[in-house]
PDB file of all heavy atoms in Angstrom:
ATOM      1  N   TRP A 210      65.682  63.684  83.916  1.00 98.00           N
ATOM      2  CA  TRP A 210      66.229  64.929  84.596  1.00 98.00           C
ATOM      3  C   TRP A 210      65.390  66.083  84.110  1.00 98.00           C
ATOM      4  O   TRP A 210      65.028  66.246  83.007  1.00 98.00           O
ATOM      5  CB  TRP A 210      67.653  65.158  84.204  1.00 98.00           C
ATOM      6  CG  TRP A 210      68.514  64.006  84.520  1.00 98.00           C
ATOM      7  CD1 TRP A 210      69.207  63.157  83.677  1.00 98.00           C
ATOM      8  CD2 TRP A 210      68.737  63.406  85.841  1.00 98.00           C
ATOM      9  NE1 TRP A 210      69.904  62.208  84.361  1.00 98.00           N
ATOM     10  CE2 TRP A 210      69.643  62.301  85.715  1.00 98.00           C
ATOM     11  CE3 TRP A 210      68.331  63.721  87.107  1.00 98.00           C
ATOM     12  CZ2 TRP A 210      69.989  61.515  86.791  1.00 98.00           C
ATOM     13  CZ3 TRP A 210      68.781  62.955  88.195  1.00 98.00           C
ATOM     14  CH2 TRP A 210      69.599  61.855  87.991  1.00 98.00           C
ATOM     15  N   ASP A 211      64.862  66.848  85.156  1.00 95.00           N
ATOM     16  CA  ASP A 211      63.984  68.001  84.767  1.00 95.00           C
ATOM     17  C   ASP A 211      64.794  69.189  84.352  1.00 95.00           C
ATOM     18  O   ASP A 211      65.998  69.259  84.514  1.00 95.00           O
ATOM     19  CB  ASP A 211      62.906  68.243  85.836  1.00 95.00           C
ATOM     20  CG  ASP A 211      63.528  68.580  87.184  1.00 95.00           C
ATOM     21  OD1 ASP A 211      64.492  69.322  87.212  1.00 95.00           O
ATOM     22  OD2 ASP A 211      63.073  68.063  88.164  1.00 95.00           O
ATOM     23  N   ARG A 212      64.090  70.081  83.711  1.00 96.00           N
ATOM     24  CA  ARG A 212      64.721  71.301  83.089  1.00 96.00           C
ATOM     25  C   ARG A 212      65.644  72.026  84.075  1.00 96.00           C
ATOM     26  O   ARG A 212      66.743  72.371  83.692  1.00 96.00           O
ATOM     27  CB  ARG A 212      63.557  72.171  82.669  1.00 96.00           C
ATOM     28  CG  ARG A 212      63.749  72.859  81.429  1.00 96.00           C
ATOM     29  CD  ARG A 212      62.671  73.747  81.071  1.00 96.00           C
ATOM     30  NE  ARG A 212      63.232  74.862  80.345  1.00 96.00           N
ATOM     31  CZ  ARG A 212      63.611  74.813  79.081  1.00 96.00           C
ATOM     32  NH1 ARG A 212      63.423  73.747  78.425  1.00 96.00           N
ATOM     33  NH2 ARG A 212      64.167  75.867  78.466  1.00 96.00           N
ATOM     34  N   GLU A 213      65.135  72.270  85.267  1.00 97.00           N
ATOM     35  CA  GLU A 213      65.961  73.026  86.263  1.00 97.00           C
ATOM     36  C   GLU A 213      67.260  72.245  86.590  1.00 97.00           C
ATOM     37  O   GLU A 213      68.314  72.894  86.637  1.00 97.00           O
ATOM     38  CB  GLU A 213      65.146  73.302  87.532  1.00 97.00           C
ATOM     39  CG  GLU A 213      64.019  74.267  87.402  1.00 97.00           C
ATOM     40  CD  GLU A 213      62.941  73.789  86.431  1.00 97.00           C
ATOM     41  OE1 GLU A 213      62.583  72.553  86.499  1.00 97.00           O
ATOM     42  OE2 GLU A 213      62.447  74.617  85.609  1.00 97.00           O
ATOM     43  N   GLU A 214      67.201  70.981  86.810  1.00 97.00           N
ATOM     44  CA  GLU A 214      68.391  70.223  87.134  1.00 97.00           C
ATOM     45  C   GLU A 214      69.405  70.309  86.001  1.00 97.00           C
ATOM     46  O   GLU A 214      70.587  70.466  86.087  1.00 97.00           O
ATOM     47  CB  GLU A 214      68.027  68.720  87.290  1.00 97.00           C
ATOM     48  CG  GLU A 214      67.494  68.459  88.690  1.00 97.00           C
ATOM     49  CD  GLU A 214      66.904  66.992  88.646  1.00 97.00           C
ATOM     50  OE1 GLU A 214      66.130  66.603  87.897  1.00 97.00           O
ATOM     51  OE2 GLU A 214      67.289  66.257  89.660  1.00 97.00           O
ATOM     52  N   LEU A 215      68.838  70.169  84.717  1.00 98.00           N
ATOM     53  CA  LEU A 215      69.709  70.156  83.533  1.00 98.00           C
ATOM     54  C   LEU A 215      70.327  71.565  83.434  1.00 98.00           C
ATOM     55  O   LEU A 215      71.495  71.695  83.040  1.00 98.00           O
ATOM     56  CB  LEU A 215      68.892  69.818  82.282  1.00 98.00           C
ATOM     57  CG  LEU A 215      68.529  68.334  82.170  1.00 98.00           C
ATOM     58  CD1 LEU A 215      67.547  68.143  81.010  1.00 98.00           C
ATOM     59  CD2 LEU A 215      69.645  67.385  82.072  1.00 98.00           C
ATOM     60  N   ILE A 216      69.597  72.584  83.750  1.00 98.00           N
ATOM     61  CA  ILE A 216      70.126  73.980  83.547  1.00 98.00           C
ATOM     62  C   ILE A 216      71.256  74.139  84.507  1.00 98.00           C
ATOM     63  O   ILE A 216      72.369  74.572  84.201  1.00 98.00           O
ATOM     64  CB  ILE A 216      68.962  75.069  83.808  1.00 98.00           C
ATOM     65  CG1 ILE A 216      68.058  74.997  82.549  1.00 98.00           C
ATOM     66  CG2 ILE A 216      69.603  76.459  83.987  1.00 98.00           C
ATOM     67  CD1 ILE A 216      66.845  75.851  82.692  1.00 98.00           C
ATOM     68  N   ARG A 217      71.058  73.752  85.764  1.00 98.00           N
ATOM     69  CA  ARG A 217      72.145  73.968  86.821  1.00 98.00           C
ATOM     70  C   ARG A 217      73.371  73.155  86.442  1.00 98.00           C
ATOM     71  O   ARG A 217      74.481  73.643  86.512  1.00 98.00           O
ATOM     72  CB  ARG A 217      71.596  73.595  88.160  1.00 98.00           C
ATOM     73  CG  ARG A 217      70.543  74.635  88.660  1.00 98.00           C
ATOM     74  CD  ARG A 217      70.097  74.263  90.097  1.00 98.00           C
ATOM     75  NE  ARG A 217      71.163  74.283  91.030  1.00 98.00           N
ATOM     76  CZ  ARG A 217      71.059  73.657  92.209  1.00 98.00           C
ATOM     77  NH1 ARG A 217      70.057  72.857  92.495  1.00 98.00           N
ATOM     78  NH2 ARG A 217      72.137  73.632  93.014  1.00 98.00           N
ATOM     79  N   MET A 218      73.151  71.877  86.095  1.00 98.00           N
ATOM     80  CA  MET A 218      74.248  71.056  85.715  1.00 98.00           C
ATOM     81  C   MET A 218      74.959  71.523  84.448  1.00 98.00           C
ATOM     82  O   MET A 218      76.211  71.681  84.465  1.00 98.00           O
ATOM     83  CB  MET A 218      73.726  69.573  85.516  1.00 98.00           C
ATOM     84  CG  MET A 218      74.723  68.591  85.067  1.00 98.00           C
ATOM     85  SD  MET A 218      74.031  67.884  83.540  1.00 98.00           S
ATOM     86  CE  MET A 218      75.317  68.221  82.456  1.00 98.00           C
ATOM     87  N   GLY A 219      74.228  71.901  83.444  1.00 98.00           N
ATOM     88  CA  GLY A 219      74.763  72.299  82.174  1.00 98.00           C
ATOM     89  C   GLY A 219      75.593  73.520  82.269  1.00 98.00           C
ATOM     90  O   GLY A 219      76.678  73.700  81.765  1.00 98.00           O
ATOM     91  N   GLU A 220      75.006  74.527  83.053  1.00 97.00           N
ATOM     92  CA  GLU A 220      75.731  75.846  83.211  1.00 97.00           C
ATOM     93  C   GLU A 220      77.063  75.555  83.883  1.00 97.00           C
ATOM     94  O   GLU A 220      78.093  76.169  83.562  1.00 97.00           O
ATOM     95  CB  GLU A 220      74.846  76.778  83.967  1.00 97.00           C
ATOM     96  CG  GLU A 220      73.739  77.352  83.094  1.00 97.00           C
ATOM     97  CD  GLU A 220      72.840  78.348  83.802  1.00 97.00           C
ATOM     98  OE1 GLU A 220      72.876  78.383  85.067  1.00 97.00           O
ATOM     99  OE2 GLU A 220      72.013  78.950  83.058  1.00 97.00           O
ATOM    100  N   MET A 221      77.008  74.705  84.905  1.00 97.00           N
ATOM    101  CA  MET A 221      78.239  74.481  85.664  1.00 97.00           C
ATOM    102  C   MET A 221      79.308  73.789  84.764  1.00 97.00           C
ATOM    103  O   MET A 221      80.440  74.226  84.751  1.00 97.00           O
ATOM    104  CB  MET A 221      77.931  73.410  86.669  1.00 97.00           C
ATOM    105  CG  MET A 221      78.449  73.746  88.097  1.00 97.00           C
ATOM    106  SD  MET A 221      77.864  72.346  89.201  1.00 97.00           S
ATOM    107  CE  MET A 221      76.539  73.090  89.954  1.00 97.00           C
ATOM    108  N   VAL A 222      78.946  72.784  83.976  1.00 97.00           N
ATOM    109  CA  VAL A 222      80.039  72.082  83.232  1.00 97.00           C
ATOM    110  C   VAL A 222      80.494  72.963  82.044  1.00 97.00           C
ATOM    111  O   VAL A 222      81.709  72.991  81.770  1.00 97.00           O
ATOM    112  CB  VAL A 222      79.623  70.666  82.742  1.00 97.00           C
ATOM    113  CG1 VAL A 222      79.326  69.745  83.898  1.00 97.00           C
ATOM    114  CG2 VAL A 222      78.429  70.701  81.859  1.00 97.00           C
ATOM    115  N   ILE A 223      79.567  73.713  81.456  1.00 97.00           N
ATOM    116  CA  ILE A 223      79.968  74.541  80.295  1.00 97.00           C
ATOM    117  C   ILE A 223      80.982  75.604  80.750  1.00 97.00           C
ATOM    118  O   ILE A 223      81.910  75.879  80.115  1.00 97.00           O
ATOM    119  CB  ILE A 223      78.743  75.104  79.504  1.00 97.00           C
ATOM    120  CG1 ILE A 223      77.952  73.935  78.856  1.00 97.00           C
ATOM    121  CG2 ILE A 223      79.132  76.062  78.484  1.00 97.00           C
ATOM    122  CD1 ILE A 223      76.634  74.238  78.262  1.00 97.00           C
ATOM    123  N   ARG A 224      80.675  76.154  81.918  1.00 95.00           N
ATOM    124  CA  ARG A 224      81.539  77.173  82.482  1.00 95.00           C
ATOM    125  C   ARG A 224      82.955  76.639  82.671  1.00 95.00           C
ATOM    126  O   ARG A 224      83.926  77.365  82.525  1.00 95.00           O
ATOM    127  CB  ARG A 224      80.983  77.597  83.852  1.00 95.00           C
ATOM    128  CG  ARG A 224      81.589  78.871  84.372  1.00 95.00           C
ATOM    129  CD  ARG A 224      80.758  79.476  85.503  1.00 95.00           C
ATOM    130  NE  ARG A 224      79.674  78.785  86.134  1.00 95.00           N
ATOM    131  CZ  ARG A 224      79.699  78.136  87.192  1.00 95.00           C
ATOM    132  NH1 ARG A 224      80.849  77.985  87.892  1.00 95.00           N
ATOM    133  NH2 ARG A 224      78.624  77.517  87.684  1.00 95.00           N
ATOM    134  N   HIS A 225      83.118  75.339  82.863  1.00 95.00           N
ATOM    135  CA  HIS A 225      84.384  74.773  83.060  1.00 95.00           C
ATOM    136  C   HIS A 225      84.975  74.174  81.697  1.00 95.00           C
ATOM    137  O   HIS A 225      85.897  73.369  81.729  1.00 95.00           O
ATOM    138  CB  HIS A 225      84.394  73.727  84.099  1.00 95.00           C
ATOM    139  CG  HIS A 225      84.304  74.262  85.508  1.00 95.00           C
ATOM    140  ND1 HIS A 225      83.153  74.566  86.144  1.00 95.00           N
ATOM    141  CD2 HIS A 225      85.275  74.666  86.367  1.00 95.00           C
ATOM    142  CE1 HIS A 225      83.429  75.104  87.317  1.00 95.00           C
ATOM    143  NE2 HIS A 225      84.730  75.190  87.422  1.00 95.00           N
ATOM    144  N   GLY A 226      84.316  74.488  80.595  1.00 96.00           N
ATOM    145  CA  GLY A 226      84.798  73.989  79.313  1.00 96.00           C
ATOM    146  C   GLY A 226      84.629  72.533  79.101  1.00 96.00           C
ATOM    147  O   GLY A 226      85.323  71.922  78.306  1.00 96.00           O
ATOM    148  N   VAL A 227      83.595  71.919  79.760  1.00 98.00           N
ATOM    149  CA  VAL A 227      83.311  70.467  79.532  1.00 98.00           C
ATOM    150  C   VAL A 227      82.178  70.287  78.549  1.00 98.00           C
ATOM    151  O   VAL A 227      81.099  70.942  78.630  1.00 98.00           O
ATOM    152  CB  VAL A 227      82.920  69.895  80.966  1.00 98.00           C
ATOM    153  CG1 VAL A 227      82.450  68.455  80.799  1.00 98.00           C
ATOM    154  CG2 VAL A 227      84.097  70.048  81.879  1.00 98.00           C
ATOM    155  N   THR A 228      82.339  69.403  77.566  1.00 98.00           N
ATOM    156  CA  THR A 228      81.254  69.157  76.619  1.00 98.00           C
ATOM    157  C   THR A 228      80.494  68.007  77.093  1.00 98.00           C
ATOM    158  O   THR A 228      81.037  66.977  77.649  1.00 98.00           O
ATOM    159  CB  THR A 228      81.952  68.799  75.219  1.00 98.00           C
ATOM    160  OG1 THR A 228      82.752  69.858  74.838  1.00 98.00           O
ATOM    161  CG2 THR A 228      80.881  68.600  74.161  1.00 98.00           C
ATOM    162  N   VAL A 229      79.149  68.062  76.893  1.00 98.00           N
ATOM    163  CA  VAL A 229      78.219  67.011  77.426  1.00 98.00           C
ATOM    164  C   VAL A 229      77.905  66.037  76.242  1.00 98.00           C
ATOM    165  O   VAL A 229      77.504  66.486  75.137  1.00 98.00           O
ATOM    166  CB  VAL A 229      76.911  67.673  77.918  1.00 98.00           C
ATOM    167  CG1 VAL A 229      75.905  66.664  78.268  1.00 98.00           C
ATOM    168  CG2 VAL A 229      77.231  68.568  79.106  1.00 98.00           C
ATOM    169  N   ILE A 230      78.094  64.765  76.549  1.00 98.00           N
ATOM    170  CA  ILE A 230      77.628  63.757  75.622  1.00 98.00           C
ATOM    171  C   ILE A 230      76.390  63.206  76.242  1.00 98.00           C
ATOM    172  O   ILE A 230      76.419  62.568  77.246  1.00 98.00           O
ATOM    173  CB  ILE A 230      78.737  62.605  75.489  1.00 98.00           C
ATOM    174  CG1 ILE A 230      80.108  63.176  75.093  1.00 98.00           C
ATOM    175  CG2 ILE A 230      78.208  61.522  74.596  1.00 98.00           C
ATOM    176  CD1 ILE A 230      81.199  62.208  75.250  1.00 98.00           C
TER     177      ILE A 230
END
Side-chain angles (χ1 to χ4, degrees):
W210 303 117
D211 57 44
R212 217 183 148 74
E213 287 64 39
E214 282 169 307
L215 289 174
I216 291 175
R217 289 182 60 203
M218 176 236 121
E220 284 178 348
M221 226 181 261
V222 297
I223 292 170
R224 193 163 9 98
H225 286 88
V227 171
T228 303
V229 174
I230 304 165

